[in-house]
Amino acid sequence: MAAPSAPAPAVTVPFGTPRRAWLTDLPLLLVAVFWGGSYLAAKGITTSHTVVAVLVLRFALVVPVLVAAGWKGLRALTGAQWRGAGLLGLILAGIFLLETYGVVHTSATNAGLIISLTMIFTPLAEAAVTRTAPSRGFLGAAALSVGGVVLLTQGAGFTAPSLGDLLILLAALARTVHVLAMAGTKAVKSADSLSLTTVQLGTAVLVFAALSALGGGTTPWAAALDFGPREWAGLVFLSVFCTLFAFFVQMWAVRRTSASRVSLLLGTEPLWAALAGIALAGDRPGALGLAGALLVLAGTAWGRRSADTTAP
């Protein structure tokens, strides 16, 4: 359940020596591992009645740190940039709600693999907006990924996908909308990534707090009082490692390596999600599910390479 990525630099930075490249690669790979484990962590501390409360707590721990770190940049934002980032924050709030409700109702393995379809949906949506035909290779990768998701959700036999599977699929579509909106909102293109992320997460927290105030679930205060050591550990993992650490590592890495290398390493997230679900949560996707998982991983990797090859 990744936080918004830092924008990639316009200029590709040389990798440098192999040792220096690995010094950059390892933190990025660790971010992908954390993101892969975030689905299991969220599932372990959240129920259908505490989704909004957990989201308030998760990001309320993060936003003050981001505000303090980027106060100068926030003050420099124009009104148009605040409005643009706020709109992106509303979309981001919807993504986190769909993902968190979704993971409550499906396995961590399914959630991590289905959400990876964003890597397929986004280039397809961009092609539709720009009216350019995707390559045959990319279309083949998309078909492979979609077929893999069908098998993944039918691991116990052919039945209707679960509510959680459908919510995660909607979250993948919402992530695509977020990427397109970010690319299409001219006002935010000149904003620095720290300020942009801070306003987005701050807006999302306000949405979650408003939903909590309207009722319909456990309040953040009640959820916090009910948390034991395991729940607090999960919340800290989501807040500190999957959000704060991940964001600052991305900001650090994009200045030291190439955008494609960052994308490749962070794109291993679904693999770690599947491994965490199977090894730690005891997910048993069955033969069909395992075949589907392999197809999703192969399809998204193929699709990412095809998109990079055809990019201008």
Side-chain angles (χ1 to χ4, degrees):
M1 301 169 71
S5 300
V11 179
T12 297
V13 180
F15 291 152
T17 65
R19 181 176 179 180
R20 289 185 65 185
W22 272 107
L23 289 176
T24 304
D25 289 351
L26 287 175
L28 282 168
L29 191 61
L30 194 58
V31 169
V33 173
F34 288 157
W35 282 354
S38 67
Y39 301 94
L40 185 59
K43 188 174 181 66
I45 67 172
T46 312
T47 70
S48 58
H49 297 291
T50 63
V51 166
V52 174
V54 169
L55 288 172
V56 171
L57 293 172
R58 174 182 176 180
F59 293 109
L61 294 176
V62 170
V63 172
V65 178
L66 294 177
V67 170
W71 179 248
K72 185 176 180 180
L74 286 171
R75 293 183 63 184
L77 291 178
T78 65
Q81 289 172 332
W82 275 96
R83 290 190 294 273
L87 176 61
L88 292 172
L90 292 177
I91 301 173
L92 190 66
I95 293 171
F96 279 114
L97 286 168
L98 288 168
E99 284 184 356
T100 311
Y101 274 113
V103 79
V104 168
H105 296 288
T106 190
S107 68
T109 301
N110 279 24
L113 289 167
I114 294 173
I115 202 68
S116 70
L117 287 180
T118 303
M119 290 181 280
I120 297 296
F121 292 156
T122 301
L124 287 176
E126 288 176 333
V129 170
T130 59
R131 298 184 179 180
T132 57
S135 67
R136 290 183 179 180
F138 185 83
L139 290 176
L144 194 68
S145 298
V146 172
V149 167
V150 172
L151 291 178
L152 178 70
T153 59
Q154 307 302 314
F158 286 97
T159 59
S162 71
L163 172 62
D165 294 333
L166 295 175
L167 289 173
I168 296 294
L169 185 61
L170 288 175
L173 291 170
R175 279 195 185 191
T176 298
V177 172
H178 185 263
V179 172
L180 294 180
M182 186 178 294
T185 306
K186 294 181 180 179
V188 303
K189 291 183 178 179
S190 58
D192 70 277
S193 56
L194 177 56
S195 298
L196 181 61
T197 299
T198 302
V199 175
Q200 287 186 78
L201 292 182
T203 302
V205 168
L206 291 177
V207 171
F208 302 145
L211 291 175
S212 178
L214 292 173
T218 305
T219 65
W221 178 252
L225 289 176
D226 196 45
F227 276 0
R230 184 178 69 86
E231 288 78 14
W232 277 111
L235 185 65
V236 169
F237 173 74
L238 290 171
S239 298
V240 176
F241 295 98
C242 298
T243 308
L244 274 180
F245 174 80
F247 174 75
F248 285 109
V249 165
Q250 288 177 87
M251 286 189 64
W252 170 79
V254 295
R255 291 167 173 81
R256 289 164 174 80
T257 186
S258 70
S260 59
R261 198 174 183 94
V262 171
S263 175
L264 178 65
L265 291 164
L266 295 182
T268 62
E269 173 192 348
L271 172 63
W272 303 113
L275 290 176
I278 292 171
L280 301 179
D283 291 346
R284 295 293 179 265
L288 285 177
L290 287 174
L294 292 174
L295 288 179
V296 170
L297 293 171
T300 52
W302 181 16
R304 192 184 307 112
R305 287 197 301 270
S306 298
D308 288 342
T309 301
T310 56

